[in-house]
Amino acid sequence: MNNDAFPKQPTYYEEVLRKGYPRRDFLKFASMMAAFIGLEQTAIAQVIQALETKPRMPVIWLHFQECTCCSESFIRSSHPIVADILLDKISLDYTETLMAASGTQAEAALKNTMAKYKGQYLLCVEGSVPMGADGVYCMIGGKTSLQILEEAAEGAAAVIAWGSCASNGCVQSAKPNPTGATPIHKLIKGKPIIKVPGCPPIGEVMAGVIVHYLTFGRIPELDRLGRPKAFYSKRVHDSCYRRPFYDAGLFVETFDDENAKKGYCLYKMGCKGPSTYNACGVMKWNNGTSFPIQAGHPCIGCSEENYWDNGRLYERASSFAGFGIEANADTVGKVALGVTAAALAVHAIATNIGKSKLIREHEEEGRESEHELEA
Amino acid sequence: MAKKYLHIHRLRRVYVWELPVRFYHWLNALIILTLIVTGFYISNPLALLSKQEASFKYTMGWFRYVHFVAAYLFFFNFIFRLYWGFVGNKFANWKQFIPTSKRFIKEMWTVFKIDILMLRKNGQQQEHLSVGHNAMAGFIYFLTFIAFLVQCFTGFGLYAAMSGWWLPQLFAWVPAFFGGDIVTRQIHHWAMWFFILFTVIHVYLVFYHDYVEGRGEISSMGGGWKFIEEEVFEQKRHHTPNPEH
Ligand code: HEM
Ligand code: SF4
């Protein structure tokens, strides 16, 4: 592998300056990122140094079965440097949505990057891969998503699965999953994979993951499900500002009631905050403006695996597979209880018939003893 | 007037349930009831309105707190019972619960025929006698132990995210194993219905046995005694040769 043949890549800092940002902005950006990824203050210098000295990292950003909301979220993350530098500069190598090139040129760019930076580039994947019908549901340039993914993953240093589609399949993998939509980690083995679930993930979280990788040259610490701990170790519920109402037992009963006006907890409106691991309550969205619960809407658990199939969005009780749409665990339970009670009643009657002799004998024996006893 | 054929039985008192078993039983009953009541509230809290300021109220907080305290008691009580299955008397032994022998399975079938289908033999009503658990009951208790495990695993799995203690942390892998907290909570909730159904059937059958057999089934979990006929005792006793005779 000979990299010298290619012109040296500019560092991030050089790009920042070239774009006309003052150093002050650059430092602010670096501190903000360090805070987001949960680093100590002393590590800010490390982030700055990394951005100043490291050449920009080649990135291939693939789009499969998705809606591009991840990219949208990313370019809207609060600090302009994120979009300008991280996305503009890092991902220009290849990304279907934002690159200028198309057709053969684009294919060539992709090939080029893969060959030139073999073993060094970061592979970002947005969307799931359809495995049904030999992959015909999502093909680009005559290749199936799986072929493209496998080729690109071959020489990648690490893989980031952006969003719920790439991390766990999201809506297109909901039952009955007609296209066989499959998340990335089930298809690629032997590469570090970072899952950044959410529909979409928070822009700052996405930026944070990339900056972490840039700074330390390795993937951030992941939890059991492969998500960066810095952003996914707390439930939305744990940082929700409506939590005191939850603890007090004060709940919104319908969307238009008095309690909704008072800002009570949305638990009974189906809020999945108590089972959803994400940073929405802390980082919020759109430059920290708000997040769903703040806007009066329950959390739908969009960053959790299978959230489409695990019960309905506006109910806490889940439907019970195989018992029809209306039946939840409690309905089934109540029916089972009724059936049990009826069965026991039948058994009780049958006992009095089937065991009549035994019962009568015991009774006579007992009565006889009672007679023989002195009062 | 006494009937001539009436045979008055002599009953023998047998110590079946030792104090630790009885203690475990009633503590368990109380805890499970608590877990079910608080569990129902947690899953679908009542709309309790009050004029009080939110900051003075902690309703959901208390229900959850009681659920978790009861959960710990439940867990340790369960562990204790497992231990007692190895050191307790023969009626408490683990072998009473797990169908390991042909005899066990055969007895289950017998119980099914006699106590559930109420089949007769040669036109005669039959009675199946077991001093401790009958094989069917033992096996059902084995299933409840599995349900205990399910509740402990899913419950502590969910609880791990709210606790720093190592014990709940041992279960932190459970939600990841099932694919997230949402499913884990659902499994936890479904499993609750097993306890409810079990309780109803269990209480009914205790009354049934007491009614049909008249050997002190209901009170046995109080004092520990069951009463069996002298003939039955002679049949079932093991005849170790007595060196004195
Ligand atoms: C007989 C045993 C138990 C029963 C019947 C029971 C029942 C329930 C029910 C019905 C729920 C509500 C689930 C939902 O949201 O729909 C619940 C929640 C919960 N239970 Fe249990 N449970 C039992 C044992 C345990 C144990 C042993 C633990 C261990 C710590 C535990 C921990 C929890 C936790 C952490 C929650 C979620 C509470 C929250 O996040 O607010 N449970 N339980
Ligand atoms: S609104 Fe949702 S996340 Fe917030 S406290 Fe209520 S249940 Fe928890």
Side-chain angles (χ1 to χ4, degrees), chain B residues 24 78 81-82 93-100 104 108 133-150 194-195 198 202:
Chain B
Y24 155 82
F78 176 37
R81 184 61 185 84
L82 293 182
N93 193 275
W94 64 271
K95 290 197 199 100
Q96 297 283 333
F97 302 97
I98 304 176
T100 41
F104 196 113
M108 276 173 66
H133 302 303
N134 69 48
M136 181 74 93
F139 180 65
I140 301 289
Y141 297 141
F142 176 60
L143 296 186
T144 64
F145 276 39
I146 291 181
F148 290 179
L149 277 182
V150 171
F194 174 84
F195 288 83
F198 168 82
H202 173 70

Side-chain angles (χ1 to χ4, degrees), chain A residues 236-237 240 242-243 246 265-267 271-274 293 299:
Chain A
V236 171
H237 190 57
C240 176
R242 296 192 189 217
R243 180 65 184 268
Y246 171 87
C265 166
L266 294 158
Y267 189 65
C271 185
K272 303 294 187 299
I293 292 168
C299 166

Side-chain angles (χ1 to χ4, degrees), chain B residues 110-128:
Chain B
T110 311
V111 172
F112 183 70
K113 282 193 298 193
I114 293 180
D115 286 324
I116 297 178
L117 299 183
M118 307 206 185
L119 297 184
R120 297 170 186 224
K121 203 170 194 173
N122 309 325
Q124 288 290 315
Q125 294 183 0
Q126 302 180 78
E127 185 177 37
H128 174 78

